[in-house]
Every structure is written in C-alpha cells, then in structure tokens.
Amino acid sequence: MAALLLLAGCANTTDGDALATATSSAAASTTASTPTPWDPCTIPDEAIERAGLNVSTKESGIFGRDQNGFKICGWESRPPSSKYYVRVFVGFETLDFVDDPSYFNRLQPVRVGTRDATQYQQLAADAALNCGVAFVAGAELIRATLITGTQVGNPPYDPCTELNTVVAALDSELPT
C-alpha cells in the first residue's frame, strides 16, 4: 500500500519537479539558522591587556563550551595582581535574566563606563571574592563576572570595584 502511495505521489510530476522540490526545501532548512550572539572572544588583545587581563589565558566558553545560549570568553588577571578570572557572557536575554532570585541576589544599579548596569551576586558566591555586572546592548544581554582564585585568601581589592574597572576599560569594544 505504501508503495502505491509513493508511486501515486510521483506519478503526477514531470521529470525534475520532485528533485527540485526536495532540493529547495533542504536549502531552505539550512539557510534559516538561529542567530548567534556576539562573541566576546573577538575583543582585541590590546584592549584585553589595557583592561589588566592576560591575553595568553583566553578561554572560549567554560571548559571550552558555551552555555545556556550565551557566548562566553574569559581571561585571568595579569600578574602581579592577586589572581582572578573575568568572564564575559553574551546572549539573547533581557535584564530580567539576573532578576531571578533563585540564582542571583543583591542587585543594585551601577554605572560602568558609559553604561547603566545592574551589579549582582550569584546566590552561592562569596561577595568578598566574586561579583557580577549585567547590561543590555540592543537585543543582547552582556554579563561579566569576576571570580577570585581559590588560593587567594583575602584579596587586596573589592571584587565589584575591580570588575567594574575592567568592564569600563573594555566598554568601547562591547556592542552598543
């Protein structure tokens, strides 16, 4: 029965029509792709150095993978500062993303470079060692985090002040 239906479906076409239809629908499915967020790993090395980060430590993703629809790039601080890690996340989200009390708290408005932003803490993070900041650029949410290395007991900096300084130094390289 299935063979008869298949033959009946092809019997009414002229040579090439079935092939053209299959080819055009395959082409349509491959050209309609999901948009990709801006990649923070494209920030020029000179800007990374000016921000006090070590360009040779650049890591795309977290352990090599982007997560939850965010493009991610991170760098370590440059010596001789106490070691910390800065990661920039870019995704198609709104600022409401960090307004989720099941993941983030201690939200407060701040000015970072030329941008109005929201400073936040992740729930399980130690505020003396870590900080996050987020702002919207067009349709994208840009988040940056600073995580102090585990060997640093008492950092000589305030994580939020340090993060805001780094992000302000990168401001001109980030999407608007």
Side-chain angles (χ1 to χ4, degrees):
M1 182 68 165
L4 289 176
L5 289 175
L6 181 60
L7 287 174
C10 291
N12 293 333
T13 61
T14 58
D15 287 347
D17 284 347
L19 181 59
T21 302
T23 303
S24 63
S25 64
S29 67
T30 58
T31 57
S33 63
T34 306
T36 304
W38 175 78
D39 186 354
C41 283
T42 62
I43 298 172
D45 287 349
E46 303 79 40
I48 296 301
E49 288 175 353
R50 278 193 311 272
L53 302 174
N54 183 344
V55 296
S56 68
T57 62
K58 176 166 66 172
E59 179 185 21
S60 179
I62 297 176
F63 300 114
R65 296 184 57 171
D66 292 326
Q67 296 179 351
N68 303 319
F70 282 88
K71 294 292 283 177
I72 305 167
C73 199
W75 302 265
E76 292 179 11
S77 58
R78 268 198 332 244
S81 73
S82 293
K83 190 178 238 180
Y84 59 79
Y85 305 89
V86 171
R87 284 203 172 92
V88 178
F89 301 72
V90 182
F92 295 109
E93 295 286 345
T94 66
L95 205 50
D96 289 342
F97 184 86
V98 295
D99 198 17
D100 182 347
S102 62
Y103 294 105
F104 307 104
N105 66 2
R106 293 180 255 161
L107 277 64
Q108 65 181 39
V110 293
R111 185 85 174 158
V112 180
T114 62
R115 303 168 194 261
D116 291 325
T118 299
Q119 192 169 288
Y120 63 89
Q121 293 290 328
Q122 289 185 316
L123 283 183
D126 181 346
L129 302 174
N130 308 297
C131 190
V133 67
F135 52 88
V136 174
E140 296 176 313
L141 176 66
I142 299 175
R143 295 174 41 226
T145 60
L146 183 143
I147 299 172
T148 301
T150 56
Q151 278 85 19
V152 179
N154 188 17
Y157 52 81
D158 172 72
C160 290
T161 301
E162 187 72 14
L163 176 62
N164 293 348
T165 300
V166 170
V167 174
L170 296 173
D171 188 39
S172 65
E173 303 299 331
L174 302 173
T176 54

